[in-house]
Amino acid sequence: MADFDTIIIGAGPGGYVAAIRAAQLGQKVACVEGRETLGGTCLNVGCIPSKAMLHATHMLHETHENFEKMGLMGAHPTVDWARMQAYKDDVVQGNTKGIEFLFKKNKITWIKGWATIPAPGQVKVGAETHTARNIVIATGSEASSLPGVEVDEETVVTSTGALTLKSVPKSLVVIGAGVIGLEMGSVYARLGTKVTVVEYLDAITPGMDAEVAKTFQRILTKQGLTFVLGAAVQSVTKARKGATVSYKLKKTDAEATLEAEIVLVATGRKPYTTGLGLEALGVEMGPRGTIKTDAHWQTSIPGLYAIGDAIAGPMLAHKAEDEGMAVAEVLSGKHGHVNYGVIPGVIYTTPEVANVGLTEEQLKAEGRAYKVGKFPFMGNARAKAVFQAEGFVKLIADAATDRILGCHIIGPAAGDLIHEVCVAMEFGASAQDLAMTCHAHPTWSEAVREAALACGDGAIHA
Ligand code: NAI
């Protein structure tokens, strides 16, 4: 008799959700977590604290940019960095405590410490070995390193260090114009930091709809961020105060340097699986350090499963959550399922950027016939009222069947708006289905409907 039905390693969004669902389905569950608090990278040093910082600095930005336009006069607030950090820490703590409560409620055993897997069905934490019918690896990811760049989390930081700087820096160089770089770059730009983003490719946010990326870059530039594109960072040298970033422009081979008080390395993340003993177990690995799994998240070892950032696919908390729920269902004899074609992506800047499904670039590469319905927020009364009329909704549908294939939004609350398209896609809806659905006025969601109308006979307000 094993000690547990399932032991999950890691209490991030993948692991803790898997634990809760497995417990709800009647399993005896343990979750191993070495951090002092539950919630993993996302909750402790990622998604949640960064959203608190984005919110606080957005409010500050609003007071400077838009308050007087609305007749709200008076002195602008100044930043008390310690209190802003305390607010962010409170938000994190409230949420980690929430998961602890859910663990208790669902009778999940939290085994505190770092796990290894000495043999199939066994999880060792400290001196103790626990047995389980099934084991789920949900150990997440870590920032990938860059050759020639040594991170000390004080001057040269990853997203973790960027959330706990001692003070607001005067200057910041961000390496990588991906999600982390642009979210954290926005935070500091709004706090008055001179932010320069150095990106290897010729556009920001690679993989994103090209039109959205272009608009996004223009808006961020207006907000004070400077971009150096097509530049490969060669090295970062620390000085007595700050650091020097050396890069080479790909087109001309010209070399240049940038100096900054803080350097943020945001060039992607890699699966975090070191120390688990996977090699000794002979677990088959996939590309870029991922653990290889089958369609039911089982690794090459029977009874050993893996989900989230540790396996293939986008490194997103909600993708891990979906896999967590699904694997728990599979392990309870049910039919867990994840639709990888409908996983939204969101960047929580202002404006927000969100996408789901295929881009025009992907469809062109596949040679598929499609149509595009686009609607600018300039035609949306609600967006204009709150000074967020820049950006647009772009809905893509199959040219022949009108089935929705993708959606790309840059604009107010894009991260929420995208979900009506996700639901529509899950149900195999056509653009016309969305266009025929009554949308309340005045809402930002009307822009999504208008984009759907634009796929057919035309938008009303454009
Ligand atoms: P990313 O993959 O989004 O972007 C990394 C960027 O760095 C790319 O644009 C790449 O071209 C560039 N780059 C790579 N090497 C370079 C070099 N030597 N010089 C200059 N540029 C270079 O990775 P990021 O932003 O670090 O995020 C890591 C993961 O965390 C991503 O998978 C992301 O989806 C996830 N994440 C998601 C968030 C969200 O959903 N809002 C928030 C934060 C992170």
Side-chain angles (χ1 to χ4, degrees):
M1 220 356 222
D3 301 337
F4 295 97
D5 292 315
T6 302
I7 296 180
I8 293 146
I9 305 176
Y16 85 71
V17 167
I20 292 171
R21 178 53 104 225
Q24 285 173 335
L25 295 173
Q27 295 198 38
K28 191 178 176 203
V29 183
C31 185
V32 189
E33 174 57 58
R35 255 183 224 277
E36 290 300 311
T37 48
L38 300 171
T41 300
C42 173
L43 217 165
N44 288 281
V45 290
C47 330
I48 302 304
S50 64
K51 258 77 277 172
M53 297 298 283
L54 278 158
H55 176 67
T57 56
H58 170 62
M59 300 300 260
L60 179 70
H61 179 81
E62 284 291 284
T63 65
H64 288 289
E65 281 296 304
N66 295 324
F67 268 34
E68 286 186 3
K69 292 182 200 158
M70 296 183 282
L72 300 172
M73 314 308 282
H76 295 306
T78 53
V79 175
D80 181 329
W81 186 238
R83 281 181 79 153
M84 196 183 278
Q85 292 277 318
Y87 147 69
K88 175 204 69 182
D89 294 343
D90 270 359
V91 171
V92 170
Q93 204 195 28
N95 283 289
T96 56
K97 288 272 176 254
I99 299 174
E100 229 176 295
F101 162 78
L102 291 173
F103 268 28
K104 284 196 188 113
K105 183 180 157 194
N106 288 287
K107 301 191 173 49
I108 297 160
T109 306
W110 174 6
I111 303 173
K112 293 186 185 177
W114 302 101
T116 56
I117 308 168
Q122 293 184 11
V123 174
K124 192 163 180 250
V125 183
E128 244 179 287
T129 300
H130 309 265
T131 57
R133 284 197 297 122
N134 293 298
I135 297 168
V136 179
I137 300 170
T139 46
S141 59
E142 58 181 340
S144 33
S145 51
L146 199 58
V149 182
E150 202 185 310
V151 169
D152 63 6
E153 294 297 10
E154 283 196 3
T155 305
V156 184
V157 298
T158 65
S159 51
T160 304
L163 287 164
T164 52
L165 296 181
K166 291 196 184 91
S167 58
V168 177
K170 289 207 164 40
S171 53
L172 169 74
V173 167
V174 177
I175 308 176
V179 191
I180 292 178
L182 300 181
E183 286 187 353
M184 291 315 296
S186 287
V187 163
Y188 285 104
R190 293 172 194 165
L191 289 167
T193 304
K194 182 180 175 329
V195 177
T196 310
V197 184
V198 185
E199 164 61 46
Y200 181 78
L201 297 171
D202 295 325
I204 68 169
T205 55
M208 186 184 283
D209 175 274
E211 227 179 331
V212 170
K214 225 168 130 194
T215 306
F216 192 27
Q217 188 185 333
R218 184 173 49 73
I219 294 173
L220 290 175
T221 305
K222 255 190 2 202
Q223 291 176 6
L225 281 83
T226 304
F227 292 94
V228 182
L229 302 182
V233 168
Q234 315 277 300
S235 65
V236 175
T237 321
K238 270 205 310 178
R240 206 172 46 82
K241 198 164 178 351
T244 305
V245 178
S246 307
Y247 62 88
K248 196 184 231 182
L249 286 172
K250 285 193 298 169
K251 260 194 202 129
T252 57
D253 258 357
E255 289 184 23
T257 57
L258 279 166
E259 281 178 21
E261 198 177 318
I262 300 288
V263 176
L264 165 62
V265 185
T267 51
R269 297 179 64 83
K270 59 178 183 203
Y272 179 66
T273 57
T274 31
L276 284 173
L278 300 186
E279 216 166 281
L281 276 176
V283 176
E284 222 177 293
M285 303 299 281
R288 292 178 296 279
T290 52
I291 300 171
K292 204 168 162 187
T293 59
D294 65 13
H296 294 113
W297 303 280
Q298 186 162 227
T299 67
S300 57
I301 309 283
L304 181 63
Y305 293 75
I307 57 168
D309 285 9
I311 68 169
M315 289 185 166
L316 296 170
H318 43 281
K319 176 256 194 190
E321 285 182 43
D322 274 27
E323 289 173 343
M325 254 191 289
V327 78
E329 282 158 11
V330 167
L331 295 179
S332 307
K334 296 169 89 89
H335 299 281
H337 173 73
V338 175
N339 180 359
Y340 288 100
V342 186
I343 294 182
V346 180
I347 308 181
Y348 299 86
T349 43
T350 304
E352 287 185 352
V353 177
N355 61 72
V356 66
L358 298 170
T359 60
E360 278 196 79
E361 291 74 27
Q362 283 169 318
L363 286 161
K364 270 185 201 139
E366 288 176 18
R368 286 172 68 178
Y370 63 90
K371 53 186 172 175
V372 172
K374 210 175 137 189
F375 185 78
F377 279 101
M378 196 53 91
N380 179 277
R382 185 75 182 278
K384 278 204 285 211
V386 298
F387 312 105
Q388 286 208 51
E390 278 183 299
F392 55 86
V393 178
K394 184 191 218 180
L395 194 76
I396 304 177
D398 187 280
T401 65
D402 196 38
R403 187 181 177 136
I404 301 170
L405 300 175
C407 184
H408 309 275
I409 309 178
I410 175 163
D416 289 296
L417 299 186
I418 199 72
H419 293 98
E420 71 167 296
V421 183
C422 296
V423 173
M425 286 175 76
E426 281 288 353
F427 281 82
S430 64
Q432 194 185 14
D433 288 327
L434 206 51
M436 286 172 71
T437 306
C438 183
H439 283 60
H441 176 73
T443 57
W444 297 316
S445 310
E446 287 175 287
V448 177
R449 184 201 199 173
E450 291 268 25
L453 281 165
C455 276
D457 293 335
I460 301 295
H461 295 91

